[in-house]
């Protein structure tokens, strides 16, 4: 299900349409929909990181949901570069619609130091991301 077809009721802050896909920015939550056939690598991720830092402010932790409505390729080793360089994701959710995509998530978990949670429903992923962000902010204020 595309974000545009969903029942997400969160206020949408901005939408960024890039060559690689569409990125929906909510309060402390990004949902991506990568285009069919894209190779999502470090070079592509850097553009998204820059936009997120500009939008939310550098150092702000956000939840990220990869809404995998299209088939595309990931370079898992490049995610390691991203997470070493930028520790800015508080929660990472993947909404999967195919069996192969579910297998790919297992590989990604090897490279992401935080928890990746997989979902079969965009709405459930959003609910989870909101809760994870609340927990993150609660921990941050208790430190």
């Amino acid at each position: 299900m595309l974000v545009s077809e969903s029942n997400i009721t969160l206020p949408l802050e901005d939408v960024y349409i890039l060559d690689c896909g569409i990125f929906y920015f909510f309060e402390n939550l990004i949902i991506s929909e990568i285009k069919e056939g894209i190779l999502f690598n470090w070079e592509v991720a850097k553009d998204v990181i820059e936009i997120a830092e500009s939008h939310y402010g550098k150092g702000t932790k956000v939840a990220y949901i990869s809404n995998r409505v299209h088939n595309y390729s990931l370079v898992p080793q490049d995610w390691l570069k991203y997470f070493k360089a930028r520790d800015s994701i508080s929660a990472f959710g993947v909404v999967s619609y195919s069996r192969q995509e579910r297998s790919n998530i297992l590989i990604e978990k090897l490279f992401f130091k935080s928890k990746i949670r997989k979902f079969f429903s965009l709405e459930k992923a959003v609910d989870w991301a909101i809760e994870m962000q609340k927990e993150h902010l609660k921990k941050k204020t208790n430190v």
Side-chain angles (χ1 to χ4, degrees), residues 72-113:
Y72 62 93
S73 301
L74 291 167
V75 179
Q77 303 89 317
D78 285 356
W79 280 108
L80 184 60
K81 293 177 191 174
Y82 168 69
F83 291 114
K84 280 186 174 180
R86 318 261 190 215
D87 189 23
S88 59
I89 292 184
S90 62
F92 184 15
V94 174
V95 183
S96 172
Y97 301 95
S98 73
R99 288 194 185 277
Q100 179 175 348
E101 199 56 56
R102 294 173 191 158
S103 300
N104 291 342
I105 295 167
L106 296 173
I107 295 168
E108 290 173 49
K109 285 182 175 184
L110 298 173
F111 296 95
F112 186 58
K113 67 181 178 182

Side-chain angles (χ1 to χ4, degrees), residues 10 13-14 16 23-32 45 48-66 79 82-83 86-94 112-117 125-126 128-137 140:
L10 298 172
E13 293 181 353
D14 215 335
Y16 295 88
F23 296 83
Y24 298 88
F25 282 60
F26 300 89
E27 182 181 353
N28 298 318
L29 170 63
I30 299 170
I31 301 176
S32 69
V48 178
I49 293 166
E50 287 175 15
I51 292 168
E53 287 180 344
S54 175
H55 183 90
Y56 295 110
K58 198 168 187 154
T60 301
K61 287 198 178 246
V62 298
Y64 180 85
I65 296 173
S66 176
W79 280 108
Y82 168 69
F83 291 114
R86 318 261 190 215
D87 189 23
S88 59
I89 292 184
S90 62
F92 184 15
V94 174
F112 186 58
K113 67 181 178 182
S114 237
K115 192 186 290 187
I116 294 179
R117 180 94 184 261
V126 169
W128 171 81
I130 291 167
E131 285 305 310
M132 293 296 98
Q133 190 64 15
K134 284 179 185 175
E135 285 181 25
H136 166 72
L137 293 173
K140 185 177 173 182

